[in-house]
Amino acid sequence: MTQSPGARAPLTALPLQGRPGARLSGSCDLDTRQALSSALGVVAGMPGAVVHLDLSTVRFFDAASVAELVRASAALSGQGRRLLLHDPPYSLRKVVEMFPDECAALEVAA
């Protein structure tokens, strides 16, 4: 099956080596929302005070997917833990810029 040039890539998640977390690849949108929710559930269940989410190969986040990240981050924060985002794509940074109060729970690695 081939994708049209404008088609978004499916979302995949792989565990990180050497630290708790996952590396997401693809796009986060309506078509992949369930995969994102599942991946965030697995990441949230990993032990450690800080769990990491490598977003360096994610091409796109829609606003609803950013909201999923906010919910996951807030839930971990409620447990005294942190979700640390690495290399977020432009689309995620743009949503955070447009809605800073709503996205205040998100923490991006320096």
Side-chain angles (χ1 to χ4, degrees):
M1 178 179 192
T2 60
Q3 289 184 330
S4 65
R8 299 221 189 278
L11 183 68
T12 59
L14 296 172
L16 292 174
Q17 299 297 318
R19 60 185 175 184
R23 179 179 189 181
L24 300 184
S25 297
S27 293
C28 297
D29 54 30
L30 179 62
D31 294 334
T32 61
R33 190 113 351 99
Q34 183 58 45
L36 176 61
S37 181
S38 295
L40 291 174
V42 169
V43 167
M46 293 178 172
V50 179
V51 290
H52 302 266
L53 206 53
D54 180 346
L55 305 174
S56 61
T57 57
V58 174
R59 289 186 231 147
F60 178 77
F61 265 92
D62 68 5
S65 296
V66 174
E68 286 281 328
L69 282 179
V70 169
R71 282 190 287 275
S73 183
L76 284 169
S77 180
Q79 300 170 11
R81 302 171 66 210
R82 296 170 42 214
L83 177 63
L84 190 56
L85 308 179
H86 297 268
D87 299 313
Y90 173 79
S91 55
L92 189 152
R93 293 189 319 262
K94 193 65 177 172
V95 170
V96 170
E97 181 182 302
M98 291 171 24
F99 302 100
D101 294 338
E102 293 82 353
C103 296
L106 297 181
E107 182 179 357
V108 177

